[in-house]
Amino acid sequence: MSKKSATIIENIGDIILKQRILILLVFAALFVVLGSNALKFKIDASADTLLTKNNALYIKTQLANQKFSPDEFILVAYQPQNGDVFTADTIKGMSKLSDSFSRIERVSKVQSMLSVPLIQSKSQLLSNSNVSELTYEKQQYSPEELRTLLTDHPIYTDLLVNQKQDAAAIQIVFKKNEKLLTLNEKILSINKRLLTRELTDEENQKLEALKRKATKIEEKIGQQRQQELIQIEQIVEQAQLDGSVYIGGSYIVGIRLIEIVKQDLLYFGSGIGVLIVLLLMLLFRSIKWVLFPMFACASSILLTMGLLALLKLPATVISANFVALQLILTLAIMLHLITCYREVSRKNPEFTQHERLVNTLKEKLAPCFFAALTTSVGFGSLIFSGIQPIIDFGIMMLISNIVTLSVALLLFPVLLSYFSASKESKEYAWLSNLLAKLGNKIKSAPRFFIIIPLVFMAILAVGISKLNVENSFIDYFHPDTKVYQELSFIDKEFGGSTPLDIVISYDDATDKSDLFMTAKQVNTLHLGHAVVNAFDATGNVTSLISFTKLAKQLNDGAPITEYELDVIYSMVDKETIDSLVGAYIDIDSNTMRISTRIQDTLPELNRAEFLEKLTKDLNAAGLSENQVELTNLFVLYQDILSRLFDSQITTLGIVYVVLALVLFAIFRSIKIALIALVPNIINTLGILGIIGWLGIPLDLMTITIAAIAMGIAIDDTIHFVDAYKSKLDGNPMQHAFSHTGLAIVYTSTLIATGFSMFVFSDFVPSVYFGLLTACAMMLAVITDLTVLPGLLRKYIHPAKSATKSNQ
């Protein structure tokens, strides 16, 4: 650092301390305003938060859902202990449950095997019979008659009764919010223009206004859903059924996720906090150096939550760990500042508190600022991922970083200035000696300390070739959790979990006003239905063909004509069918729908290969690519996963280039910039290699670990290089190790130990996050204390650089 730069930084430190009253007043105001807003901070764990909402697939899925989707519902599956749903006791219990569920305010209807039409013969359809009267509730069929009517039923099997007939389901259907429905239709009418062109400024403004209105209604409905789930659980508990009950549905997973994420934030956040307190006390042996970093961490998190709430940026499954990450960032800066302050105090015991702080800021203000800047580059790179949930996470981390830097470099020194100067205890002699010896070894044999870690990292990096994006949402949860048991049971017994729709277009619209389908259209649909049903991964498959199968059963196995199909489809209670599985045909757009759910618990399921083979098989069956469109959650989620590799390569490429430029701007040397970049490249490749070797699939959570590893490693790198470069006229290696080595070890030990606690989480991505973060810290400390000083020793020679550094 030049004398001019040092003078400027010293002046900045002096200004900060002289304006301490103003800074305190500003922070006090921020605590009041943002602290009160922090209570409004939300966690949104719905499935929609995992999707990229402005891409073509999402919009096409929304358009298809507008035509075909069933109503919003919760599924309550009941498995009696005796293994038979067709008994008087089971029927009585389900009837009682249905009555109780129907009294919930927002419920429009309750569907079960007791309330749906059960047709015994073709004559009942072709006569003028009232189909709605053909239910168990009206006819009081015997249990055996009920069994006969529902055995291998083309529509109700795997929807209301499982194949083994040892579990039955009750579908609780909710009323639609007409205001929200209208708003979503208007939003979609604008969004669909994105399929052909960019939106105008006027359209974007209108879209944002509509979204704000819709969000308010959705938030209210979200609160209702949580209360409804509590009511349903209470009803089930009070019923005291002799068996097991499993609750599922489109938004149940989101509610369960919120519960787990909040639990993790509370338990593990508190646990990490307690552990860090103990370790800080052990390291510094002073209550002062426990309170200051913990206060800084708490302040940073509180202010960030308030700011995010003010900006209406809720935490999602992807970004919920921003609290833990901000803890890392704040703690890392604080430990460097505290270690430096203690070193200044020990070397200059005669200094006043003001002088100690000015000298600390003189040494650490620039590296802390530059470390935060380069960390921002790492997290900012996520904005270029092209995947909306990851983009949002990147924005949140940029905000977190700005808050952390402000607290550490402004609030911390100001508060410390009100304490009197006191004698600081010595660091652990054995650790200081160990670091000194390591520095001397590297000084004498730099090549060894470059090659050995690089070989180790190269072995780890081979694991990158083993990376995959094959993942199942069910596997996000520990098998002992309630949500896992609910999801897996419904997935296995009631036809799968993740919805997939195959929308087929046809050009030959019928010219017969009394028919909704021609024989050719029925044949086309038959082919498509058969192709989808042939896969092991597809659970329940329903379409208009399900009606032809029902009609064939009622017609003693003989095929039916399109006229008879028309009669059957028209006479069956359409409202009941639509609420169960959604509509199957849209005459206005000449499209038909095949609905299925993918069984996520199926072993060795390769989702990308499945979609590719499904498309090929549909084409081979005579359905051209222009005729077939795959939509719904399975396609959307798989699309995101398939883009993760490209996203990761693009993101890391941007990070490396931008970091090289930033490091060059900081150190004004191409050679030093490239040397500083090396340990960070090694760190990111190493952590990706560990993910590959361990067989952890890349997903929206683990994909961010590389950026996190970069953000962690770059801080220590800059502090070490800055310390080394500042003493090129003396013994830079010894100074760098004594000045920053301890802080690097302390930071890595605290964070790695704290985040290892996530191994006990019920949410598997949190387990991976904790363990991989701990691994990233260990890799960072290895590279920053071996490869980095080795490269500096070999290529940046004190004798040659001394003159330049004094300019």
mmCIF file of all heavy atoms in Angstrom, residues 655-682:
data_model
loop_
_atom_site.group_PDB
_atom_site.id
_atom_site.type_symbol
_atom_site.label_atom_id
_atom_site.label_comp_id
_atom_site.label_asym_id
_atom_site.label_seq_id
_atom_site.Cartn_x
_atom_site.Cartn_y
_atom_site.Cartn_z
ATOM 1 N N VAL A 655 -17.446 -15.386 -12.574
ATOM 2 C CA VAL A 655 -16.797 -15.100 -11.292
ATOM 3 C C VAL A 655 -15.286 -15.000 -11.444
ATOM 4 O O VAL A 655 -14.654 -14.054 -10.959
ATOM 5 C CB VAL A 655 -17.136 -16.187 -10.244
ATOM 6 C CG1 VAL A 655 -16.280 -16.017 -9.002
ATOM 7 C CG2 VAL A 655 -18.593 -16.101 -9.850
ATOM 8 N N TYR A 656 -14.688 -15.969 -12.118
ATOM 9 C CA TYR A 656 -13.229 -15.980 -12.272
ATOM 10 C C TYR A 656 -12.735 -14.732 -13.009
ATOM 11 O O TYR A 656 -11.740 -14.112 -12.612
ATOM 12 C CB TYR A 656 -12.778 -17.234 -13.020
ATOM 13 C CG TYR A 656 -12.996 -18.529 -12.266
ATOM 14 C CD1 TYR A 656 -13.218 -19.728 -12.940
ATOM 15 C CD2 TYR A 656 -12.989 -18.559 -10.873
ATOM 16 C CE1 TYR A 656 -13.419 -20.920 -12.248
ATOM 17 C CE2 TYR A 656 -13.191 -19.744 -10.179
ATOM 18 C CZ TYR A 656 -13.407 -20.920 -10.871
ATOM 19 O OH TYR A 656 -13.608 -22.093 -10.175
ATOM 20 N N VAL A 657 -13.413 -14.377 -14.086
ATOM 21 C CA VAL A 657 -13.001 -13.214 -14.877
ATOM 22 C C VAL A 657 -13.133 -11.929 -14.066
ATOM 23 O O VAL A 657 -12.193 -11.117 -13.986
ATOM 24 C CB VAL A 657 -13.834 -13.114 -16.179
ATOM 25 C CG1 VAL A 657 -13.553 -11.790 -16.887
ATOM 26 C CG2 VAL A 657 -13.518 -14.279 -17.103
ATOM 27 N N VAL A 658 -14.313 -11.739 -13.439
ATOM 28 C CA VAL A 658 -14.554 -10.505 -12.672
ATOM 29 C C VAL A 658 -13.622 -10.433 -11.469
ATOM 30 O O VAL A 658 -13.077 -9.368 -11.152
ATOM 31 C CB VAL A 658 -16.036 -10.422 -12.228
ATOM 32 C CG1 VAL A 658 -16.258 -9.205 -11.336
ATOM 33 C CG2 VAL A 658 -16.939 -10.352 -13.448
ATOM 34 N N LEU A 659 -13.418 -11.567 -10.771
ATOM 35 C CA LEU A 659 -12.517 -11.572 -9.617
ATOM 36 C C LEU A 659 -11.095 -11.210 -10.019
ATOM 37 O O LEU A 659 -10.399 -10.482 -9.300
ATOM 38 C CB LEU A 659 -12.524 -12.945 -8.947
ATOM 39 C CG LEU A 659 -13.575 -13.174 -7.863
ATOM 40 C CD1 LEU A 659 -13.382 -14.546 -7.234
ATOM 41 C CD2 LEU A 659 -13.503 -12.113 -6.786
ATOM 42 N N ALA A 660 -10.648 -11.727 -11.155
ATOM 43 C CA ALA A 660 -9.298 -11.402 -11.635
ATOM 44 C C ALA A 660 -9.164 -9.896 -11.846
ATOM 45 O O ALA A 660 -8.156 -9.287 -11.467
ATOM 46 C CB ALA A 660 -9.009 -12.154 -12.932
ATOM 47 N N LEU A 661 -10.212 -9.278 -12.419
ATOM 48 C CA LEU A 661 -10.184 -7.829 -12.656
ATOM 49 C C LEU A 661 -10.196 -7.055 -11.330
ATOM 50 O O LEU A 661 -9.456 -6.079 -11.169
ATOM 51 C CB LEU A 661 -11.385 -7.419 -13.521
ATOM 52 C CG LEU A 661 -11.396 -7.965 -14.958
ATOM 53 C CD1 LEU A 661 -12.701 -7.607 -15.645
ATOM 54 C CD2 LEU A 661 -10.205 -7.422 -15.745
ATOM 55 N N VAL A 662 -11.037 -7.506 -10.398
ATOM 56 C CA VAL A 662 -11.129 -6.832 -9.099
ATOM 57 C C VAL A 662 -9.816 -6.965 -8.329
ATOM 58 O O VAL A 662 -9.318 -5.997 -7.732
ATOM 59 C CB VAL A 662 -12.308 -7.390 -8.268
ATOM 60 C CG1 VAL A 662 -12.292 -6.826 -6.853
ATOM 61 C CG2 VAL A 662 -13.632 -7.062 -8.937
ATOM 62 N N LEU A 663 -9.235 -8.158 -8.339
ATOM 63 C CA LEU A 663 -7.964 -8.380 -7.639
ATOM 64 C C LEU A 663 -6.844 -7.554 -8.264
ATOM 65 O O LEU A 663 -5.958 -7.037 -7.560
ATOM 66 C CB LEU A 663 -7.597 -9.871 -7.671
ATOM 67 C CG LEU A 663 -8.468 -10.785 -6.797
ATOM 68 C CD1 LEU A 663 -8.198 -12.255 -7.108
ATOM 69 C CD2 LEU A 663 -8.235 -10.517 -5.311
ATOM 70 N N PHE A 664 -6.890 -7.399 -9.577
ATOM 71 C CA PHE A 664 -5.903 -6.544 -10.243
ATOM 72 C C PHE A 664 -6.072 -5.091 -9.817
ATOM 73 O O PHE A 664 -5.088 -4.375 -9.560
ATOM 74 C CB PHE A 664 -6.033 -6.660 -11.767
ATOM 75 C CG PHE A 664 -5.161 -5.688 -12.515
ATOM 76 C CD1 PHE A 664 -3.785 -5.865 -12.563
ATOM 77 C CD2 PHE A 664 -5.724 -4.593 -13.155
ATOM 78 C CE1 PHE A 664 -2.973 -4.956 -13.244
ATOM 79 C CE2 PHE A 664 -4.921 -3.681 -13.832
ATOM 80 C CZ PHE A 664 -3.544 -3.864 -13.884
ATOM 81 N N ALA A 665 -7.334 -4.653 -9.705
ATOM 82 C CA ALA A 665 -7.599 -3.281 -9.264
ATOM 83 C C ALA A 665 -7.142 -3.061 -7.824
ATOM 84 O O ALA A 665 -6.660 -1.980 -7.467
ATOM 85 C CB ALA A 665 -9.093 -2.975 -9.389
ATOM 86 N N ILE A 666 -7.270 -4.106 -6.993
ATOM 87 C CA ILE A 666 -6.878 -3.991 -5.579
ATOM 88 C C ILE A 666 -5.361 -3.948 -5.433
ATOM 89 O O ILE A 666 -4.812 -3.070 -4.750
ATOM 90 C CB ILE A 666 -7.446 -5.171 -4.769
ATOM 91 C CG1 ILE A 666 -8.971 -5.104 -4.714
ATOM 92 C CG2 ILE A 666 -6.872 -5.179 -3.346
ATOM 93 C CD1 ILE A 666 -9.614 -6.343 -4.125
ATOM 94 N N PHE A 667 -4.675 -4.894 -6.064
ATOM 95 C CA PHE A 667 -3.230 -5.043 -5.853
ATOM 96 C C PHE A 667 -2.368 -4.391 -6.936
ATOM 97 O O PHE A 667 -1.141 -4.339 -6.806
ATOM 98 C CB PHE A 667 -2.877 -6.531 -5.734
ATOM 99 C CG PHE A 667 -3.553 -7.208 -4.568
ATOM 100 C CD1 PHE A 667 -4.462 -8.240 -4.776
ATOM 101 C CD2 PHE A 667 -3.294 -6.802 -3.267
ATOM 102 C CE1 PHE A 667 -5.089 -8.864 -3.701
ATOM 103 C CE2 PHE A 667 -3.906 -7.413 -2.198
ATOM 104 C CZ PHE A 667 -4.809 -8.444 -2.399
ATOM 105 N N ARG A 668 -3.022 -3.956 -8.027
ATOM 106 C CA ARG A 668 -2.326 -3.271 -9.137
ATOM 107 C C ARG A 668 -1.144 -4.081 -9.667
ATOM 108 O O ARG A 668 -0.074 -3.554 -9.962
ATOM 109 C CB ARG A 668 -1.885 -1.877 -8.692
ATOM 110 C CG ARG A 668 -3.048 -0.910 -8.562
ATOM 111 C CD ARG A 668 -2.661 0.297 -7.752
ATOM 112 N NE ARG A 668 -2.394 -0.051 -6.366
ATOM 113 C CZ ARG A 668 -1.906 0.816 -5.473
ATOM 114 N NH1 ARG A 668 -1.621 2.037 -5.827
ATOM 115 N NH2 ARG A 668 -1.703 0.431 -4.229
ATOM 116 N N SER A 669 -1.347 -5.366 -9.725
ATOM 117 C CA SER A 669 -0.316 -6.278 -10.243
ATOM 118 C C SER A 669 -1.001 -7.503 -10.837
ATOM 119 O O SER A 669 -1.775 -8.174 -10.157
ATOM 120 C CB SER A 669 0.625 -6.707 -9.118
ATOM 121 O OG SER A 669 1.402 -7.821 -9.511
ATOM 122 N N ILE A 670 -0.736 -7.755 -12.105
ATOM 123 C CA ILE A 670 -1.335 -8.920 -12.765
ATOM 124 C C ILE A 670 -0.858 -10.198 -12.086
ATOM 125 O O ILE A 670 -1.641 -11.120 -11.844
ATOM 126 C CB ILE A 670 -0.966 -8.945 -14.267
ATOM 127 C CG1 ILE A 670 -1.605 -7.754 -14.983
ATOM 128 C CG2 ILE A 670 -1.422 -10.264 -14.905
ATOM 129 C CD1 ILE A 670 -1.211 -7.636 -16.451
ATOM 130 N N LYS A 671 0.419 -10.258 -11.740
ATOM 131 C CA LYS A 671 0.987 -11.450 -11.133
ATOM 132 C C LYS A 671 0.327 -11.756 -9.788
ATOM 133 O O LYS A 671 -0.092 -12.888 -9.526
ATOM 134 C CB LYS A 671 2.500 -11.281 -10.951
ATOM 135 C CG LYS A 671 3.208 -12.556 -10.511
ATOM 136 C CD LYS A 671 4.678 -12.294 -10.193
ATOM 137 C CE LYS A 671 5.470 -12.015 -11.431
ATOM 138 N NZ LYS A 671 6.931 -11.889 -11.138
ATOM 139 N N ILE A 672 0.194 -10.744 -8.930
ATOM 140 C CA ILE A 672 -0.420 -10.952 -7.613
ATOM 141 C C ILE A 672 -1.899 -11.311 -7.759
ATOM 142 O O ILE A 672 -2.415 -12.166 -7.029
ATOM 143 C CB ILE A 672 -0.244 -9.700 -6.721
ATOM 144 C CG1 ILE A 672 1.233 -9.511 -6.377
ATOM 145 C CG2 ILE A 672 -1.063 -9.826 -5.437
ATOM 146 C CD1 ILE A 672 1.530 -8.282 -5.533
ATOM 147 N N ALA A 673 -2.583 -10.661 -8.699
ATOM 148 C CA ALA A 673 -4.010 -10.953 -8.920
ATOM 149 C C ALA A 673 -4.210 -12.416 -9.301
ATOM 150 O O ALA A 673 -5.113 -13.085 -8.794
ATOM 151 C CB ALA A 673 -4.569 -10.038 -9.995
ATOM 152 N N LEU A 674 -3.358 -12.917 -10.207
ATOM 153 C CA LEU A 674 -3.480 -14.316 -10.635
ATOM 154 C C LEU A 674 -3.132 -15.276 -9.503
ATOM 155 O O LEU A 674 -3.781 -16.316 -9.337
ATOM 156 C CB LEU A 674 -2.571 -14.573 -11.838
ATOM 157 C CG LEU A 674 -2.971 -13.857 -13.139
ATOM 158 C CD1 LEU A 674 -1.936 -14.103 -14.224
ATOM 159 C CD2 LEU A 674 -4.362 -14.303 -13.596
ATOM 160 N N ILE A 675 -2.112 -14.920 -8.706
ATOM 161 C CA ILE A 675 -1.746 -15.763 -7.562
ATOM 162 C C ILE A 675 -2.893 -15.823 -6.559
ATOM 163 O O ILE A 675 -3.231 -16.894 -6.043
ATOM 164 C CB ILE A 675 -0.467 -15.223 -6.888
ATOM 165 C CG1 ILE A 675 0.745 -15.510 -7.771
ATOM 166 C CG2 ILE A 675 -0.280 -15.846 -5.501
ATOM 167 C CD1 ILE A 675 2.025 -14.859 -7.282
ATOM 168 N N ALA A 676 -3.521 -14.671 -6.290
ATOM 169 C CA ALA A 676 -4.637 -14.624 -5.337
ATOM 170 C C ALA A 676 -5.847 -15.396 -5.850
ATOM 171 O O ALA A 676 -6.655 -15.908 -5.067
ATOM 172 C CB ALA A 676 -5.021 -13.168 -5.067
ATOM 173 N N LEU A 677 -5.972 -15.499 -7.181
ATOM 174 C CA LEU A 677 -7.117 -16.198 -7.770
ATOM 175 C C LEU A 677 -6.974 -17.712 -7.665
ATOM 176 O O LEU A 677 -7.979 -18.434 -7.548
ATOM 177 C CB LEU A 677 -7.256 -15.780 -9.240
ATOM 178 C CG LEU A 677 -8.543 -16.166 -9.967
ATOM 179 C CD1 LEU A 677 -9.746 -15.516 -9.317
ATOM 180 C CD2 LEU A 677 -8.457 -15.763 -11.439
ATOM 181 N N VAL A 678 -5.725 -18.199 -7.682
ATOM 182 C CA VAL A 678 -5.478 -19.649 -7.718
ATOM 183 C C VAL A 678 -6.147 -20.409 -6.565
ATOM 184 O O VAL A 678 -6.865 -21.390 -6.805
ATOM 185 C CB VAL A 678 -3.961 -19.949 -7.754
ATOM 186 C CG1 VAL A 678 -3.691 -21.435 -7.501
ATOM 187 C CG2 VAL A 678 -3.389 -19.546 -9.097
ATOM 188 N N PRO A 679 -5.947 -20.026 -5.273
ATOM 189 C CA PRO A 679 -6.579 -20.804 -4.198
ATOM 190 C C PRO A 679 -8.097 -20.805 -4.265
ATOM 191 O O PRO A 679 -8.748 -21.765 -3.843
ATOM 192 C CB PRO A 679 -6.086 -20.121 -2.917
ATOM 193 C CG PRO A 679 -5.584 -18.787 -3.331
ATOM 194 C CD PRO A 679 -5.106 -18.939 -4.722
ATOM 195 N N ASN A 680 -8.667 -19.739 -4.825
ATOM 196 C CA ASN A 680 -10.129 -19.674 -4.917
ATOM 197 C C ASN A 680 -10.668 -20.571 -6.022
ATOM 198 O O ASN A 680 -11.733 -21.187 -5.871
ATOM 199 C CB ASN A 680 -10.549 -18.220 -5.143
ATOM 200 C CG ASN A 680 -10.200 -17.344 -3.966
ATOM 201 O OD1 ASN A 680 -10.875 -17.357 -2.955
ATOM 202 N ND2 ASN A 680 -9.108 -16.600 -4.070
ATOM 203 N N ILE A 681 -9.926 -20.672 -7.121
ATOM 204 C CA ILE A 681 -10.309 -21.623 -8.176
ATOM 205 C C ILE A 681 -10.200 -23.047 -7.648
ATOM 206 O O ILE A 681 -11.088 -23.877 -7.842
ATOM 207 C CB ILE A 681 -9.406 -21.429 -9.427
ATOM 208 C CG1 ILE A 681 -9.687 -20.078 -10.074
ATOM 209 C CG2 ILE A 681 -9.643 -22.564 -10.423
ATOM 210 C CD1 ILE A 681 -8.768 -19.753 -11.242
ATOM 211 N N ILE A 682 -9.091 -23.317 -6.952
ATOM 212 C CA ILE A 682 -8.889 -24.652 -6.371
ATOM 213 C C ILE A 682 -10.022 -24.983 -5.399
ATOM 214 O O ILE A 682 -10.547 -26.101 -5.385
ATOM 215 C CB ILE A 682 -7.526 -24.721 -5.643
ATOM 216 C CG1 ILE A 682 -6.376 -24.601 -6.636
ATOM 217 C CG2 ILE A 682 -7.393 -26.023 -4.858
ATOM 218 C CD1 ILE A 682 -5.025 -24.443 -5.975
#
